[in-house]
Amino acid sequence: MSVLFLKPGREKSLLRRHPWIFSGAVARVEGAPAPGATVDVCSAEGKFLARAAYSPHSQIQGRVWTFEPEQTVDADFLRRRVRASLRARHLLGLEDTTNAVRLVHAESDGLPGLIVDKYADVLVVQFLAWGVEYWRQTLIEILCEETGLQAIYERSDAEARALEGLSMRTGWIRGSFLETRRLIQENGLHFQVDLASGHKTGFYLDQRANRLRVRALAAGREVLDCFCYTGGFSINALAGGAKSVLSVDSSAEALSLCRLHVAENNLPIGRHATIEGDVFSLLRKFRDEGRSFDLIVLDPPKFAPTAAQAGKAARGYKDINRLAFKLLRPDGFLVTFSCSGGVDAALFQKIVASAALDAGVDAQIVETLTQAADHPISLHFPEGAYLKGLVCLKRA
Ligand code: SAH
């Protein structure tokens, strides 16, 4: 087996079981491993540290499969990892609430770079790193066998692939339905998910529990759902008895699904409206018009994928949160999120605090939110905690 030797003193993160080996920590690679092949990772002194997937073109040159020297990375190993993921999901008892679940959450499930989401009778998979790309066929077999599902759609079109030097790949891998749209159930509501053109793998499964929170807070309120996509929060707000819901997104396609969801869930169409536009300018327009709301959701796209973009992202978050605080009535809730890996929970809270300060608003955090339980966070991989949310109450 090929061996990747670290520079002296660069083994600390591996000893803490962090699964990434950055290129700057690598002294040399002995042998000629193919991209994605398994290599032994050793300290400068030659001590075994881990067994990892080799990714020659990435800043993350190795992703650890195992820290156990006696474990071989093969089909059995991968099957055990997949089974452990599935068992963990089963333990969460999500079957009662939904048929759309993240079954494998990459590094946090010991399968670096692999995302598997189940939407009713279809698996949607993303192979986002060389290691899982190398084992792609094996993993597909295992996933079919272990889930008993016959249809798999691939959405390996995330930016992460470009960083690995992998090209994009999408389409049916196994089975196929004429339609790439599937109907899913979640907490008594249903949603259409477009596996081919939807964001991520089709739906924001990570917001499931937070949608339910918004449902619980929405009764009798005038709601503004910014960056609504296909209406996850809007539909839940209506289901929770909102007086009115205004859904805003820049995507006409997302908004048409959002309207469809209102109708298909038998919710009061008369209480719902959509606006296609840019949230940044719309919030300004609403401020100038003196409009106000009782509950505002801000769930923008990723402004900062890595810490390098944190500064620019912070300005973006501050801007929309400041404007939202201004539009919020006293006793109103601001439900605000960041899914940027480059902005951690502490920084996000600071940004929201300074937004409130600039808006001249007295607000308190009444709840902190995170990603749904089927998006676990390995204790050794804090990067896995990407979704941060705050529910702020504007004081009268
Ligand atoms: N809240 C949604 C997910 C939001 S994803 C849910 O729970 O399902 C982010 C959304 O923001 C996308 O739908 C994207 O089309 C939209 N978007 C991105 N930039 C925008 C902008 N400047 N103004 C309005 N919408 C924007």
Side-chain angles (χ1 to χ4, degrees):
M1 185 175 306
S2 303
V3 183
L4 184 154
F5 286 94
L6 297 183
K7 291 177 182 165
R10 299 303 291 268
E11 63 272 33
K12 292 196 186 68
S13 67
L14 286 174
L15 294 174
R16 285 197 306 269
R17 301 216 155 199
H18 190 278
W20 286 352
I21 298 144
F22 287 99
S23 55
V26 177
R28 65 183 195 283
V29 179
E30 281 183 3
T38 307
V39 296
D40 275 358
V41 182
C42 291
S43 67
E45 296 76 33
K47 181 172 165 278
F48 175 91
L49 297 166
R51 204 150 275 147
Y54 180 56
S55 184
H57 313 296
S58 171
Q59 296 245 49
I60 304 168
Q61 241 183 65
R63 287 173 202 251
V64 172
W65 287 120
T66 176
F67 294 94
E68 310 303 329
E70 67 279 3
Q71 276 188 344
T72 311
V73 179
D74 55 15
D76 282 346
F77 171 89
L78 296 171
R79 187 180 295 275
R80 286 196 301 276
R81 286 279 161 98
V82 168
R83 277 188 184 160
S85 277
L86 297 178
R87 189 170 58 248
R89 298 313 180 275
H90 180 65
L91 293 172
L92 296 175
L94 287 167
E95 290 97 340
D96 298 338
T97 50
T98 185
N99 61 357
V101 176
R102 174 150 298 187
L103 298 179
V104 178
H105 189 48
E107 271 77 349
S108 299
D109 279 309
L111 290 161
L114 182 66
I115 299 290
V116 183
D117 289 340
K118 180 176 93 120
Y119 292 108
D121 47 4
V122 180
L123 295 179
V124 180
V125 292
Q126 293 184 312
F127 298 90
L128 301 179
W130 262 112
V132 283
E133 177 78 9
Y134 183 91
W135 290 101
R136 183 170 172 276
Q137 283 307 333
T138 310
L139 284 165
I140 291 165
E141 296 280 335
I142 292 170
L143 287 168
C144 281
E145 285 166 16
E146 296 297 328
T147 62
L149 294 179
Q150 308 302 325
I152 303 194
Y153 194 89
E154 179 165 11
R155 282 296 301 272
S156 295
D157 58 348
E159 280 165 38
R161 266 182 83 93
L163 301 176
E164 289 279 301
L166 288 161
S167 57
M168 305 296 172
R169 194 194 305 109
T170 60
W172 290 105
I173 298 177
R174 283 286 175 90
S176 71
F177 293 93
L178 283 176
E179 269 280 343
T180 51
R181 228 187 238 190
R182 310 306 295 162
L183 187 69
I184 62 151
Q185 314 287 332
E186 182 189 283
N187 290 309
L189 297 171
H190 44 264
F191 296 91
Q192 300 276 356
V193 177
D194 196 322
L195 311 177
S197 66
H199 293 174
K200 307 223 279 184
T201 62
F203 200 62
Y204 288 84
L205 296 175
D206 52 357
Q207 291 282 25
R208 184 190 308 110
N210 304 331
R211 285 191 274 271
L212 212 50
R213 288 305 300 144
V214 164
R215 195 191 298 186
L217 295 173
R221 290 182 180 260
E222 291 184 38
V223 176
L224 174 64
D225 181 9
C226 297
F227 309 97
C228 68
Y229 187 47
T230 60
F233 287 110
S234 297
I235 303 305
N236 275 277
L238 285 169
K243 190 169 159 196
S244 67
V245 175
L246 179 54
S247 310
V248 183
D249 202 280
S250 53
S251 157
E253 202 186 339
L255 288 174
S256 86
L257 265 185
C258 177
R259 286 188 294 267
L260 185 75
H261 289 151
V262 178
E264 288 192 342
N265 284 289
N266 297 315
L267 294 165
I269 294 174
R271 295 190 190 177
H272 183 240
T274 57
I275 295 184
E276 180 188 337
D278 170 46
V279 166
F280 289 82
S281 41
L282 192 76
L283 291 176
R284 284 194 163 70
K285 180 166 166 279
F286 282 178
R287 178 199 57 193
D288 297 343
E289 293 170 355
R291 297 215 23 194
S292 57
F293 298 88
D294 309 299
L295 193 165
I296 300 177
V297 179
L298 292 178
D299 184 22
K302 221 187 282 178
F303 291 158
T306 69
Q309 298 99 326
K312 184 162 173 280
R315 286 190 288 281
Y317 287 122
K318 186 168 167 188
D319 192 36
I320 52 175
N321 280 280
R322 180 178 53 82
L323 290 161
F325 273 127
K326 282 205 177 281
L327 300 184
L328 204 60
R329 295 188 188 124
D331 290 342
F333 290 117
L334 172 63
V335 184
T336 181
F337 296 96
S338 161
C339 60
S340 294
V343 174
D344 66 14
L347 176 57
F348 184 56
Q349 188 172 321
K350 273 189 204 148
I351 294 167
V352 175
S354 76
L357 196 66
D358 280 15
V361 162
D362 181 18
Q364 56 188 184
I365 297 170
V366 290
E367 211 170 328
T368 57
L369 305 173
T370 182
Q371 60 220 50
D374 52 342
H375 296 58
I377 302 153
S378 161
L379 282 170
H380 310 300
F381 184 64
E383 291 85 346
Y386 65 96
L387 183 62
K388 288 104 4 204
L390 297 171
V391 183
C392 297
L393 174 63
K394 179 166 169 174
R395 309 242 270 183

